[in-house]
């Protein structure tokens, strides 16, 4: 008598053998997709690109430096010699449209002055490339929206370079709030100040920068209050001061602002191009507090908690981390946690901060 169990085994084995080539092919394709490194062209070869972004690309798992965009031929030659970039992958700002014919480039990382982010992002998107853009996304809500629209129309991803959202120290602070380890937050304090340096740079020109300390480094404090609370502010009030009206004739030198969130949390923030050492983030909650100091550096961030524990994690390259995550989003066809819309929201709030400082009145946010 035939054995029904044996018949079942043979049938299942036959099905499995028939399917094996497809399973193998699918697994191979998935492995190949994950192993592929996306080509990144850096648009703008200033100090951040030279000292942070290009070196970080050498550490990434899913990216590689594949091209450059610059208006300075001498810089192009130096970068080509250093990184072996071929002539076909070197562009000027006026020839970015030619990237459409270059399959080696998948992503354009825009690192030009703030008010040039829109034209360079739009050019990259129209050439069929994904765009990762330095913060602030642009200098107005309208220009941010034009970038979002261009990338959406092209079917390409737009990300905003918010590196602190990849810092393990900041992620731990978010966890402490979400899990209410010290109860619900009540007050958030955040500040970041730097010595901006020489007075002829583009950061001190309103036409290119859109603003001063707030747009440049204050945005880190603003971002932190939003991703810590998980809320959008409903009211802002700000005061601006200048001690050097010549150097800071066009942009803000020092800005202090408060924001109110729907849950009742109040944030107190400050930023300056001249105020010395401000680099902290602190959350006061119902049953304790925690803080990072320094909070916004490229490395060396760490903190402590009211229960005596440290907030300290092994250092990572934040630029490599954010670029790898953006590449994975493209490879896996999923959204980024730092989309263009996130950048637009910060710009909208910063515009309200400037309005409050100018009028002396609190500004409601819808």
């Amino acid at each position: 008598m035939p054995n029904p169990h044996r018949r079942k085994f043979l049938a299942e084995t036959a099905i499995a053998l028939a399917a094996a080539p497809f399973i193998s092919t699918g697994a191979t394709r998935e492995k190949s997709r994950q192993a592929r490194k996306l080509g990144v062209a850096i648009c703008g070869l200033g100090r951040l690109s030279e000292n942070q972004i290009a070196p970080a690309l050498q550490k990434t798992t899913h990216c590689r430096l594949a091209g450059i965009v610059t208006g300075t031929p001498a810089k192009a030659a130096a970068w080509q010699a250093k990184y072996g970039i071929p002539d076909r992958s070197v562009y000027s700002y006026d020839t970015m449209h030619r990237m459409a014919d270059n399959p080696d480039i998948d992503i354009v990382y825009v690192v030009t002055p703030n008010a040039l982010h829109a034209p360079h992002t739009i050019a990259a998107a129209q050439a069929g490339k994904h765009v990762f853009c330095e913060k602030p996304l642009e200098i107005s809500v309208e220009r941010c929206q034009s970038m979002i629209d261009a990338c959406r129309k092209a079917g390409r991803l737009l990300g905003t370079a918010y590196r602190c959202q990849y810092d393990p120290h900041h992620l731990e602070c978010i966890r402490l709030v979400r899990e209410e380890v010290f109860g619900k937050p009540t007050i958030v304090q955040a500040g970041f100040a730097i010595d901006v340096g020489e007075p002829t740079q583009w950061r001190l020109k309103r036409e290119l920068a859109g603003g001063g300390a707030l747009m440049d480094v204050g945005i880190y404090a603003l971002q932190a209050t939003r991703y810590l609370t998980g809320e959008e502010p409903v009211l802002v009030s700000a005061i601006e001061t200048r001690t050097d009206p010549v150097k800071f004739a066009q942009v803000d030198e020092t800005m202090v602002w408060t924001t109110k969130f729907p849950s009742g949390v109040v944030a107190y923030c400050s930023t300056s191009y001249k105020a010395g050492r401000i680099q902290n983030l602190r959350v006061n909650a119902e049953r304790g507090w925690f803080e990072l100091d320094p909070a916004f550096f490229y490395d060396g961030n760490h903190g402590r908690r009211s229960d005596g524990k440290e907030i300290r994690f092994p250092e990572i390259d934040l630029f490599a981390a954010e670029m790898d995550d953006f590449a994975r989003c493209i490879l896996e066809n999923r959204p980024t946690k730092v989309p263009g819309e996130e950048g637009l929201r910060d710009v909208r709030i910063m515009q309200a901060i400037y309005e409050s400082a100018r009028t002396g009145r609190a500004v409601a946010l819808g």
Side-chain angles (χ1 to χ4, degrees):
M1 175 181 281
N3 186 333
H5 298 292
R6 185 172 183 274
R7 267 205 309 266
K8 182 180 178 183
F9 169 78
L10 292 173
E12 291 175 347
T13 300
I15 292 171
L17 289 172
F22 300 98
I23 295 171
S24 176
T25 301
T28 300
R29 286 175 181 166
E30 175 66 15
K31 185 176 181 181
S32 175
R33 180 176 64 81
Q34 292 293 338
R36 181 183 172 224
K37 287 197 169 191
L38 299 185
V40 178
I42 300 179
C43 178
L45 305 183
R47 285 178 303 204
L48 186 66
S49 295
E50 181 180 3
N51 298 329
Q52 303 297 333
I53 297 171
L57 276 169
Q58 314 309 308
K59 306 173 188 176
T60 56
T61 302
H62 302 289
C63 303
R64 62 184 180 85
L65 178 57
I68 51 176
V69 183
T70 180
T72 308
K75 281 188 179 181
W79 278 63
Q80 284 188 271
K82 185 173 183 177
Y83 293 107
I85 299 169
D87 289 342
R88 68 176 182 276
S89 295
V90 177
Y91 301 89
S92 70
Y93 299 115
D94 295 328
T95 62
M96 290 180 66
H97 61 280
R98 296 179 185 170
M99 287 184 186
D101 301 320
N102 191 341
D104 291 341
I105 296 173
D106 302 284
I107 302 167
V108 176
Y109 193 152
V110 176
V111 203
T112 48
N114 304 341
L116 300 179
H117 289 178
H120 296 153
T121 291
I122 292 168
Q126 290 176 343
K129 308 306 178 183
H130 303 279
V131 181
F132 199 62
C133 183
E134 264 304 318
K135 56 80 204 161
L137 191 63
E138 246 287 354
I139 65 172
S140 73
V141 169
E142 294 74 21
R143 293 165 74 93
C144 290
Q145 190 63 55
S146 71
M147 297 163 68
I148 293 168
D149 292 343
C151 290
R152 184 179 294 133
K153 182 178 180 180
R156 292 297 179 261
L157 204 59
L158 172 61
T160 314
Y162 286 131
R163 57 180 173 78
C164 288
Q165 291 216 31
Y166 300 88
D167 186 333
H169 303 85
H170 285 255
L171 295 176
E172 173 65 3
C173 290
I174 293 172
R175 184 192 72 81
L176 293 173
V177 172
R178 297 292 183 277
E179 297 181 8
E180 297 187 3
V181 174
F182 297 100
K184 295 183 182 298
T186 56
I187 297 175
V188 178
Q189 297 168 268
F192 195 13
I194 63 170
D195 179 354
V196 73
E198 57 92 14
T200 60
Q201 61 182 292
W202 67 262
R203 286 177 177 81
L204 300 179
K205 295 177 171 59
R206 180 172 295 279
E207 184 180 1
L208 288 175
L214 176 61
M215 295 284 280
D216 188 11
V217 291
I219 191 172
Y220 288 102
L222 172 60
Q223 255 275 299
T225 65
R226 292 181 53 240
Y227 56 67
L228 281 171
T229 61
E231 298 181 323
E232 297 300 324
V234 294
L235 190 72
V236 299
S237 181
I239 298 174
E240 177 187 351
T241 63
R242 284 190 177 99
T243 62
D244 188 340
V246 176
K247 183 173 183 178
F248 301 101
Q250 297 186 38
V251 299
D252 46 293
E253 173 193 320
T254 299
M255 187 78 73
V256 176
W257 72 97
T258 58
T259 52
K260 180 180 178 182
F261 291 88
S263 64
V265 174
V266 175
Y268 172 83
C269 301
S270 58
T271 188
S272 180
Y273 269 160
K274 201 177 177 183
R277 186 187 181 278
I278 305 175
Q279 55 204 30
N280 64 291
L281 173 62
R282 180 183 175 104
V283 176
N284 294 277
E286 296 169 315
R287 300 188 302 272
W289 54 266
F290 56 89
E291 66 180 2
L292 299 179
D293 192 353
F296 304 110
F297 288 176
Y298 296 151
D299 51 39
N301 298 327
H302 64 272
R304 59 196 181 106
R305 304 166 21 159
S306 56
D307 59 7
K309 295 181 180 178
E310 276 194 304
I311 302 176
R312 189 182 292 271
F313 294 89
E315 297 293 343
I316 66 169
D317 189 310
L318 300 179
F319 292 91
E322 66 180 356
M323 285 187 284
D324 259 341
D325 185 69
F326 189 67
R328 283 193 298 269
C329 290
I330 295 168
L331 292 168
E332 297 167 10
N333 192 28
R334 60 178 172 84
T336 170
K337 70 175 180 178
V338 289
E341 289 80 359
E342 179 75 352
L344 182 150
R345 284 188 280 269
D346 277 335
V347 171
R348 176 180 287 121
I349 298 166
M350 287 191 292
Q351 295 305 304
I353 292 171
Y354 282 126
E355 180 183 347
S356 176
R358 184 176 63 254
T359 64
R361 297 191 299 268
V363 176
L365 293 161

